[in-house]
C-alpha cells in the first residue's frame, strides 16, 4: 500500500475506535473523564518507559491502563470525599499530566518521545514505523495496535451490549436488576485507556479527545437509537479522518490538528442541519407552526 | 543556596517572579468563584480555546506582540464559552460533552494554525510554541507590565464587587430579587475569569492553565467554610505556587514552567487534603474517632443506668455490670479509665462496675435524652413542627412545654428513668434511718 493509504487507514481506524467508545461516554455524561484520561495516559507511557526502558507496545498499554484506571479511581475517591466531580477531574488530570510532562522533560535525552509528539502525535511517521517478522513487512505497528484495540473494544461491546446500554440510559434500573454498575464503569474506563494509548501515537493526547467526543456528539444529534448512533459515529470518525488528511495535505499543516478541526466542522453541520434535532429543522417547524396557527 | 540568592538578585528573575506570583494570586481568587459556581472545567475550555485566537492575532499582526495576543486569546476564549452555552441551549447535548467538544476542536484548530504559521517560515514564530506549556523565561519586562496591570485590575474589581459576586454565586435568585443586574454581573465574572486565564497563558500555557483556577481554590476549600477567607487562602496558594514553579524552572534548563507551577500547586493541594482543619482527611478521621468514643461512653453509662434502675426497683441495691460482659470495643479500656478518673464509676476487686452518685446524675441525663427521643420517634406524627431527624438531636434544649409533653408520654409508657429518684429515695431513707438510730442512741 502507498504511504497515503496507510495514513488514511490509520486515521480511519482512530476514527472508528474513538467514535464507538465516545458514544458511551457522551451518553453517560462522562466526556470530561475522557479528556482527563487522554491526558494522564501520557504519564502511563512515560512511567512504563522508565520502568521497562523499552517502547514496546505491550508495556505502553500496561502503563496506560494502570494510569487510566487510577485516574478514574482518584476522581471517584475525591468525589466521594465531598469534592464536586468537575473539580475532582480538573485536579487529578492536570496534576498527573504535569507530572508526565516534567518527567519527559527531565529524561528528554533518553526518551524517544517529545512534548510535541505527546500533544499532536505524528501520524505522518506512522507508515515508516513498520512491523517486520523474518524480513516480511507486515505494515505499520500503529495499524496493528489500533486494529487489536478495535477488535477488543468491539468484543467487549458485543459481550456487554445490554449492560452498557442499560447502565448508560438508566443507572438506577441497572442497579435494581443486578447489573454490576461499577464493574461496567471500569470496563469502559479500560476501553477508553487502551483506545487513547493506541490513538496517542497517531493523534496525540488532546486531539484524541476531539476524535472521542465530536463524532459521538454529532451522531447523538442524528438518531435516537444506540446501535445506529454507534454506526454513524464510526462513519463520521472515518469521514473526519479522511477529509482532515486531505485538508492537511493541501494546506500543508498538522494532520491531527486538521482532523480535529474537521470533526468539529462535521459537528457544526449536524448541529444546524440534522433532520431530527438540528437548529434549521426546529426553525422550520416553528415557522410552519406559527403560519398554521395564524391562518 | 548561594546560587539561589544570586539568582534572586537578577532583575530579570525578579520581574518574572512578580509576574507569576501576581497571576497566581489573580487566578486563585477568581478560581474560587469558578469552583463554587461549578464552572471549573469551563476554565479548561477557555484556556484551550485561546490558542487559535493567539495564532490568528499573530497572522493579522505579523509579529509577536503580547497585547495583541492577549486580545486574540480573550476573544477566542469568550467565543468558545459562548459556543458551549449555545450548544447546551439549542441542542440536547449536555454540558460536559459541549465543554469537551469545544475544548478539543478549538485546540485542534489552534494546532493547525500553529503549523500553518510555522510553514510560512517567518522565523520569529518560536514564541508561539511556548504558549502550549508555558515558558516563564520568555516573559520580558513589557509583558510583566501587562500581566501586573491586568492582575491588579482583576483583584481590585473582585474586592470592590465582592458582595455582589458572592450573592450571585450563592443565591442568584435572591440577587435578582433585590435588584442586582445578575446577567451583567455573570458576564463580568466570566470576562474576569477569561482575563485571568489569558494573562497566565504565557507562563503556564493553554494545556494546564485550568489547573491554576481549580487547584488553589479546591485546596483552600479544605481550610475554611467562608468565602472571604477562601478567596484569600486560594490567592496565597496560587501566588506561592507561581513563585515556586518559576524558581524551579529557572534552576533547571529546558523545563517548561507550567507543569512545574501546577506540580507546586498540587503539592499544596495534597498538604491541604491531609491537614486541612475544616475538611482535611486527618481532621475528619479525628472527628470520627471522637464521635465513636463518645458513643461507647454513653453506651456504657446507659447500660449501667439500666442495671441500676432494675436492681434498685427490685432489691434496693445499686446495679452492677461485669466488666467482662460489658460492651467491648477498641476504646473500652480507655473509656473505663477515663470514667474512673472522673469518678463516674468505681470498679471493685471482682471486676464489677458501679455507678457513683456523680455518675448516676450524668447517666440520668443521657438516658432521659435517649428516652425522650424514643418517645418522639414513636409519636413523630404528633410533633409535625419538629425536625429532629435532621437537626442534630439536642433534645434538652427544646422549649419546656415540649419536654413536658414528652415526659408525660414517657410516664404513660412507664419508661420514665427512675433510677436517680429511687437512689435519692433510698439515700434519704438511709439518712433518716441513720438519724433515727443516732437520735435513739442519744436518748438511751
Amino acid at each position: 500500500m502507498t504511504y497515503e493509504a496507510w495514513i488514511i487507514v490509520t486515521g480511519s481506524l482512530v476514527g472508528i475506535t474513538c467514535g464507538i467508545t465516545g458514544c458511551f461516554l457522551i451518553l453517560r455524561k462522562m466526556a470530561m473523564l475522557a479528556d482527563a484520561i487522554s491526558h494522564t495516559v501520557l504519564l502511563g507511557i512515560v512511567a512504563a518507559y522508565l520502568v521497562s526502558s523499552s517502547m514496546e507496545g505491550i508495556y505502553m498499554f500496561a502503563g496506560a491502563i494502570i494510569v487510566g484506571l487510577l485516574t478514574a479511581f482518584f476522581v471517584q475517591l475525591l468525589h466521594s470525599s465531598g469534592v464536586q466531580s468537575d473539580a475532582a477531574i480538573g485536579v487529578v488530570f492536570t496534576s498527573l499530566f504535569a507530572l508526565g510532562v516534567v518527567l519527559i522533560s527531565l529524561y528528554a535525552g533518553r526518551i524517544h518521545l517529545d512534548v510535541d509528539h505527546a500533544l499532536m502525535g505524528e501520524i505522518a511517521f506512522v507508515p515508516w514505523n513498520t512491523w517486520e517478522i523474518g524480513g516480511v513487512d507486515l505494515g505499520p505497528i500503529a495499524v496493528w495496535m489500533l486494529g487489536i484495540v478495535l477488535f477488543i473494544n468491539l468484543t467487549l461491546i458485543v459481550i456487554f451490549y445490554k449492560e452498557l446500554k442499560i447502565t448508560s440510559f438508566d443507572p438506577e434500573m441497572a442497579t435494581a436488576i443486578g447489573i454490576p454498575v461499577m464493574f461496567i464503569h471500569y470496563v469502559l474506563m479500560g476501553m477508553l485507556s487502551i483506545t487513547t494509548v493506541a490513538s496517542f501515537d497517531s493523534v496525540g493526547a488532546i486531539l484524541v479527545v476531539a476524535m472521542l467526543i465530536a463524532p459521538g456528539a454529532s451522531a447523538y444529534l442524528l438518531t435516537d437509537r444506540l446501535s445506529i448512533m454507534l454506526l454513524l459515529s464510526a462513519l463520521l470518525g472515518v469521514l473526519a479522518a479522511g477529509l482532515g488528511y486531505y485538508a492537511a495535505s493541501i494546506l500543508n499543516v498538522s494532520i491531527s490538528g486538521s482532523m480535529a478541526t474537521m470533526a468539529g466542522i462535521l459537528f457544526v453541520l449536524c448541529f444546524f442541519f440534522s433532520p431530527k434535532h438540528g437548529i434549521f429543522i426546529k426553525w422550520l417547524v416553528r415557522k410552519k407552526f406559527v403560519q398554521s396557527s395564524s391562518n | 543556596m548561594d546560587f539561589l540568592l544570586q539568582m534572586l538578585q537578577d532583575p530579570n528573575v525578579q520581574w518574572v517572579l512578580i509576574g507569576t506570583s501576581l497571576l497566581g494570586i489573580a487566578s486563585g481568587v477568581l478560581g474560587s468563584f469558578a469552583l463554587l459556581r461549578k464552572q471549573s472545567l469551563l476554565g479548561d475550555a477557555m484556556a484551550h480555546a485561546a490558542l487559535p485566537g493567539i495564532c490568528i492575532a499573530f497572522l493579522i499582526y505579523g509579529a509577536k506582540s503580547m497585547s495583541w495576543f492577549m486580545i486574540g486569546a480573550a476573544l477566542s476564549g469568550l467565543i468558545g464559552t459562548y459556543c458551549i452555552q449555545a450548544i447546551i441551549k439549542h441542542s440536547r447535548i449536555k454540558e460536559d460533552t459541549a465543554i469537551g467538544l469545544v475544548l478539543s476542536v478549538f485546540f485542534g484548530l489552534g494546532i493547525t494554525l500553529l503549523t500553518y504559521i510555522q510553514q510560512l517560515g517567518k522565523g520569529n514564530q518560536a514564541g508561539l510554541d511556548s504558549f502550549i506549556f508555558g515558558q516563564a523565561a520568555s516573559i520580558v519586562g513589557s509583558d510583566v507590565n501587562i500581566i501586573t496591570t491586568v492582575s491588579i485590575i482583576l483583584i481590585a474589581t473582585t474586592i470592590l464587587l465582592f458582595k455582589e459576586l458572592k450573592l450571585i454565586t450563592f443565591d442568584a435568585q435572591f440577587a435578582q430579587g433585590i435588584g442586582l443586574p445578575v446577567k451583567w454581573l455573570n458576564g463580568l465574572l466570566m470576562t474576569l475569569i477569561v482575563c485571568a486565564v489569558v494573562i497566565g497563558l504565557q507562563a503556564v500555557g493553554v494545556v494546564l492553565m485550568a489547573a491554576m483556577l481549580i487547584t488553589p481554590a479546591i485546596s483552600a476549600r479544605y481550610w475554611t467554610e467562608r468565602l472571604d477567607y477562601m478567596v484569600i487562602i486560594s490567592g496565597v496558594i496560587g501566588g506561592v505556587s507561581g513563585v515556586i514553579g518559576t524558581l524551579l524552572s529557572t534552576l533547571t534548563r529546558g523545563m517548561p514552567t507550567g507543569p512545574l507551577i501546577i506540580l507546586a500547586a498540587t503539592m499544596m493541594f495534597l498538604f491541604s487534603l491531609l491537614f486541612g482543619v475544616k475538611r482535611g482527611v486527618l481532621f475528619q478521621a479525628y472527628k470520627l474517632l471522637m464521635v465513636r468514643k463518645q458513643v461507647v461512653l454513653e453506651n456504657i453509662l446507659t447500660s449501667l443506668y439500666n442495671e441500676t434502675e432494675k436492681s434498685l426497683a427490685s432489691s434496693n441495691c445499686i446495679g452492677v455490670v461485669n466488666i467482662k460482659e460489658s460492651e467491648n470495643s477498641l476504646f473500652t479500656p480507655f473509656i473505663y479509665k477515663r470514667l474512673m478518673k472522673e469518678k463516674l464509676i468505681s470498679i471493685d476487686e471482682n471486676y464489677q462496675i458501679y455507678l457513683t452518685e456523680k455518675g448516676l446524675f450524668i447517666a440520668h441525663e443521657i438516658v432521659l435524652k435517649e428516652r425522650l427521643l424514643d418517645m418522639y420517634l414513636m409519636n413523630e406524627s404528633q410533633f409535625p413542627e419538629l425536625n429532629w431527624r435532621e437537626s442534630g438531636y439536642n433534645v434538652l434544649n427544646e422549649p419546656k412545654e415540649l419536654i413536658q409533653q414528652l415526659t408525660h408520654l414517657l410516664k404513660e409508657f412507664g419508661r420514665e428513668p427512675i433510677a436517680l429518684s429511687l437512689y435519692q429515695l433510698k439515700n434519704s431513707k438511709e439518712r433518716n434511718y441513720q438519724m433515727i438510730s443516732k437520735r435513739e442512741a442519744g436518748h438511751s
Side-chain angles (χ1 to χ4, degrees):
Chain A
M1 275 211 276
T2 60
Y3 171 82
E4 202 169 52
W6 277 125
I7 288 186
I8 293 189
V9 167
T10 317
S12 307
L13 280 172
V14 170
I16 297 171
T17 321
C18 291
I20 55 174
T21 317
C23 285
F24 292 106
L25 301 170
I26 289 164
L27 292 174
R28 293 165 159 251
K29 305 186 187 68
M30 293 194 320
M32 287 319 283
L33 212 52
D35 184 36
I37 287 185
S38 66
H39 281 74
T40 53
V41 154
L42 177 69
L43 177 64
I45 292 174
V46 179
Y49 178 79
L50 290 179
V51 171
S52 72
S53 48
S54 83
M55 284 291 278
E56 296 245 347
I58 189 78
Y59 295 111
M60 280 175 35
F61 275 113
I65 289 176
I66 292 170
V67 176
L69 292 181
L70 269 184
T71 311
F73 176 70
F74 283 147
V75 169
Q76 196 77 32
L77 197 69
L78 274 184
H79 182 51
S80 62
S81 80
V83 179
Q84 64 206 40
S85 62
D86 60 334
I89 291 176
V91 169
V92 172
F93 92 79
T94 50
S95 47
L96 294 182
F97 185 66
L99 192 61
V101 175
V102 167
L103 284 178
I104 287 192
S105 314
L106 264 182
Y107 298 98
R110 281 175 44 201
I111 298 186
H112 166 68
L113 233 192
D114 59 23
V115 172
D116 280 352
H117 181 148
L119 275 182
M120 322 186 217
E122 300 196 327
I123 200 168
F125 296 150
V126 160
W128 290 322
N129 192 3
T130 54
W131 193 28
E132 280 178 35
I133 294 180
V136 185
D137 192 345
L138 293 173
I141 295 176
V143 172
W144 280 98
M145 266 170 49
L146 282 162
I148 293 168
V149 168
L150 180 59
F151 177 72
I152 296 174
N153 281 356
L154 283 177
T155 319
L156 284 171
I157 289 176
V158 169
I159 295 174
F160 293 117
Y161 188 73
K162 193 186 72 192
E163 283 83 357
L164 278 168
K165 192 171 171 179
I166 298 176
T167 51
S168 301
F169 286 104
D170 197 342
E172 275 104 32
M173 178 183 152
T175 319
I177 61 174
I179 291 173
V181 177
M182 251 3 226
F183 172 72
I184 297 290
H185 175 76
Y186 281 105
V187 165
L188 195 60
M189 290 299 110
M191 275 164 64
L192 177 58
S193 305
I194 55 172
T195 307
T196 317
V197 75
S199 322
F200 187 85
D201 242 2
S202 0
V203 292
I206 299 170
L207 298 172
V208 70
V209 184
M211 297 308 273
L212 278 165
I213 299 177
S218 317
Y220 187 48
L221 292 178
L222 294 176
T223 174
D224 286 337
R225 286 183 60 96
L226 178 61
S227 46
I228 297 176
M229 181 176 164
L230 288 170
L231 279 177
L232 279 176
S233 167
L235 194 72
L236 284 165
V238 173
L239 211 58
L243 291 175
Y245 172 71
Y246 282 114
S249 55
I250 290 168
L251 295 169
N252 189 19
V253 291
S254 152
I255 298 171
S256 51
S258 128
M259 283 178 181
T261 316
M262 212 42 91
I265 292 173
L266 288 175
F267 173 79
V268 172
L269 288 178
C270 293
F271 182 69
F272 283 107
F273 302 113
S274 154
K276 256 199 155 78
H277 300 279
I279 298 277
F280 187 64
I281 206 82
K282 279 185 195 162
W283 178 76
L284 271 185
V285 168
R286 201 174 302 142
K287 203 173 158 194
K288 254 184 200 163
F289 180 74
V290 170
Q291 269 175 358
S292 66
S293 60
S294 62
N295 285 343
Chain B
M1 202 63 218
D2 281 344
F3 180 64
L4 193 69
L5 282 177
Q6 205 181 349
M7 204 176 75
L8 283 176
Q9 279 159 2
D10 182 352
N12 276 335
V13 176
Q14 284 172 357
W15 272 117
V16 172
L17 280 178
I18 292 172
T20 46
S21 59
L22 271 171
L23 79 89
I25 295 172
S27 53
V29 165
L30 287 161
S32 305
F33 289 103
L35 178 80
L36 292 172
R37 294 161 63 87
K38 305 199 167 39
Q39 290 177 334
S40 306
L41 290 176
L42 210 54
D44 200 18
M46 283 176 191
H48 283 75
L51 189 62
I54 294 172
C55 295
I56 290 171
F58 180 86
L59 281 174
I60 292 173
Y61 187 72
K64 191 172 179 268
S65 148
M66 188 66 179
S67 40
W68 281 107
F69 283 176
M70 280 187 167
I71 293 169
L75 279 180
S76 71
L78 281 173
I79 292 173
T81 319
Y82 175 76
C83 285
I84 293 172
Q85 278 158 357
I87 290 174
I88 299 170
K89 197 174 162 196
H90 296 296
S91 75
R92 57 174 183 164
I93 286 177
K94 305 288 179 303
E95 188 183 10
D96 63 319
T97 308
I99 291 178
L101 185 76
V102 166
L103 178 158
S104 52
V105 170
F106 271 67
F107 189 75
L109 186 64
I111 293 282
T112 315
L113 288 171
L114 206 62
T115 42
Y116 179 69
I117 291 170
Q118 269 163 7
Q119 54 110 355
L120 284 182
K122 289 205 175 167
N124 51 357
Q125 87 284 356
L128 284 182
D129 285 353
S130 71
F131 278 97
I132 292 177
F133 282 118
Q135 194 52 264
S138 70
I139 299 178
V140 294
S142 58
D143 302 343
V144 174
N145 282 341
I146 299 176
I147 292 176
T148 314
T149 323
V150 177
S151 314
I152 290 173
I153 293 174
L154 292 180
I155 297 167
T157 318
T158 318
I159 293 171
L160 282 177
L161 293 176
F162 186 76
K163 213 175 68 192
E164 285 79 5
L165 294 177
K166 190 174 165 181
L167 259 181
I168 61 161
T169 302
F170 287 114
D171 198 341
Q173 282 179 345
F174 177 69
Q176 185 97 54
I178 61 168
L180 284 178
V182 174
K183 232 179 181 172
W184 190 83
L185 281 169
N186 272 333
L188 178 76
L189 188 59
M190 204 59 89
T191 316
L192 292 180
I193 295 175
V194 168
C195 289
V197 168
V198 166
I199 54 167
L201 292 181
Q202 200 175 11
V204 186
V206 294
V207 181
L208 287 168
M209 190 52 213
M212 283 309 282
L213 290 174
I214 304 171
T215 313
I218 200 137
S219 315
R221 199 71 188 79
Y222 285 96
W223 297 98
T224 176
E225 300 276 338
R226 289 184 48 152
L227 180 65
D228 41 0
Y229 295 150
M230 179 179 166
V231 165
I232 294 170
I233 296 172
S234 162
V236 170
I237 292 178
V240 172
S241 11
V243 170
I244 295 178
T246 314
L247 282 179
L248 284 176
S249 132
T250 328
L251 280 173
T252 48
R253 284 197 174 280
M255 249 330 182
T257 321
L260 288 171
I261 293 182
I262 301 311
L263 280 187
T266 307
M267 287 301 140
M268 275 184 262
F269 165 72
L270 290 178
F271 181 80
S272 310
L273 177 73
L274 284 178
F275 302 107
V277 289
K278 277 286 173 202
R279 299 166 143 215
V281 170
L282 290 182
F283 181 76
Q284 294 278 4
Y286 174 77
K287 241 170 50 182
L288 189 68
L289 194 77
M290 284 296 120
V291 169
R292 286 214 178 130
K293 263 174 117 170
Q294 187 64 27
V295 168
V296 173
L297 187 144
E298 289 193 357
N299 283 350
I300 290 173
L301 286 178
T302 310
S303 58
L304 275 169
Y305 189 89
N306 289 339
E307 286 304 313
T308 309
E309 194 170 51
K310 258 190 261 166
S311 52
L312 270 178
S314 58
S315 63
N316 215 11
C317 62
I318 286 202
V320 292
V321 169
N322 199 307
I323 211 167
K324 282 164 194 153
E325 292 160 9
S326 67
E327 176 167 352
N328 254 319
S329 91
L330 206 61
F331 320 109
T332 321
F334 301 103
I335 288 178
Y336 280 137
K337 256 183 212 160
R338 196 175 122 198
L339 288 171
M340 286 271 282
K341 217 171 136 196
E342 290 176 18
K343 298 211 165 73
L344 298 181
I345 57 168
S346 58
I347 298 178
D348 70 6
E349 62 278 8
N350 296 328
Y351 300 106
Q352 309 267 356
I353 314 168
Y354 304 83
L355 276 178
T356 62
E357 197 177 334
K358 195 177 155 198
L360 200 62
F361 271 106
I362 289 177
H364 178 77
E365 191 145 298
I366 294 170
V367 173
L368 182 64
K369 254 191 222 174
E370 240 166 54
R371 293 192 185 169
L372 285 175
L373 199 62
D374 284 348
M375 283 304 124
Y376 165 72
L377 292 175
M378 280 163 68
N379 302 288
E380 216 174 339
S381 55
Q382 292 183 25
F383 307 97
E385 73 280 9
L386 290 184
N387 215 352
W388 283 357
R389 278 179 193 274
E390 275 156 36
S391 65
Y393 297 128
N394 210 346
V395 180
L396 293 180
N397 287 349
E398 295 294 327
K400 274 238 170 77
E401 306 90 68
L402 200 83
I403 302 287
Q404 271 169 0
Q405 222 175 330
L406 284 171
T407 320
H408 186 73
L409 275 174
L410 268 183
K411 274 184 190 151
E412 231 170 71
F413 283 92
R415 291 277 294 151
E416 208 184 359
I418 47 170
L420 186 65
S421 50
L422 282 176
Y423 178 79
Q424 282 163 341
L425 195 69
K426 176 184 159 224
N427 267 3
S428 65
K429 261 187 197 165
E430 272 172 12
R431 222 174 291 136
N432 279 348
Y433 180 72
Q434 277 168 4
M435 267 160 66
I436 291 167
S437 47
K438 253 184 215 165
R439 215 177 292 153
E440 275 173 1
H443 278 295
S444 66

